[in-house]
Amino acid sequence: MTWLHKQLGDTFLVCKRFPVQFDLLAETNLPPCRSQKLALQIRQDMWRLLQNVRGLLPAVEVTGRETVIYVRAGGQLTCSVHVRSAQAKLQDMLDDPTYRQRWINYAALKRCVLL
């Protein structure tokens, strides 16, 4: 199964199955940056962290606003797993300052310099 990339208005979505269902969910806010790049980086780190969770169909939803980016990460569970444990790991990753700084640096808005 391949990754689906969808732009829905001001929301960018990376998921394994559409429509998205968040049985497992963690959320955070970040400063304004490029939604697509941010979603791809979070998806990559989330996949590495939760790759042993059976039956997880991961999804990352990034909604861009002028002053803040809203991130929802998680996905649909097709098997019974210990949701609280997986959710705690995912929330810890979203709150980790090292990850957050790397994501922000990677997805930073490019500024033009006029000479």
Side-chain angles (χ1 to χ4, degrees):
M1 188 183 271
T2 62
W3 290 98
L4 302 172
H5 299 217
K6 294 210 179 263
Q7 183 75 46
L8 305 166
D10 61 353
T11 299
F12 184 78
L13 185 62
V14 179
C15 57
K16 282 286 195 177
R17 182 183 290 171
F18 193 78
V20 174
Q21 180 178 326
F22 284 100
D23 300 324
L24 172 67
L25 176 65
E27 300 175 294
T28 194
N29 297 329
L30 291 166
C33 55
R34 293 181 289 179
S35 298
Q36 184 174 357
K37 290 206 173 260
L38 180 63
L40 294 173
Q41 280 292 294
I42 293 172
R43 183 222 36 103
Q44 183 178 33
D45 290 331
M46 181 178 73
W47 184 250
R48 287 178 185 147
L49 179 71
L50 300 176
Q51 65 185 338
N52 294 328
V53 175
R54 285 189 51 216
L56 176 64
L57 297 172
V60 176
E61 179 184 271
V62 176
T63 303
R65 302 277 191 243
E66 288 183 22
T67 58
V68 68
I69 297 283
Y70 300 102
V71 177
R72 291 174 20 144
Q76 182 178 356
L77 296 169
T78 60
C79 299
S80 76
V81 296
H82 196 278
V83 176
R84 288 185 189 157
S85 173
Q87 192 165 330
K89 284 182 187 179
L90 184 55
Q91 191 64 56
D92 288 345
M93 183 193 81
L94 290 179
D95 293 338
D96 186 292
T98 305
Y99 279 113
R100 293 171 68 86
Q101 191 60 54
R102 186 167 55 81
W103 298 333
I104 291 167
N105 290 344
Y106 181 76
L109 297 171
K110 302 293 181 188
R111 297 184 186 231
C112 295
V113 176
L114 298 175
L115 298 175

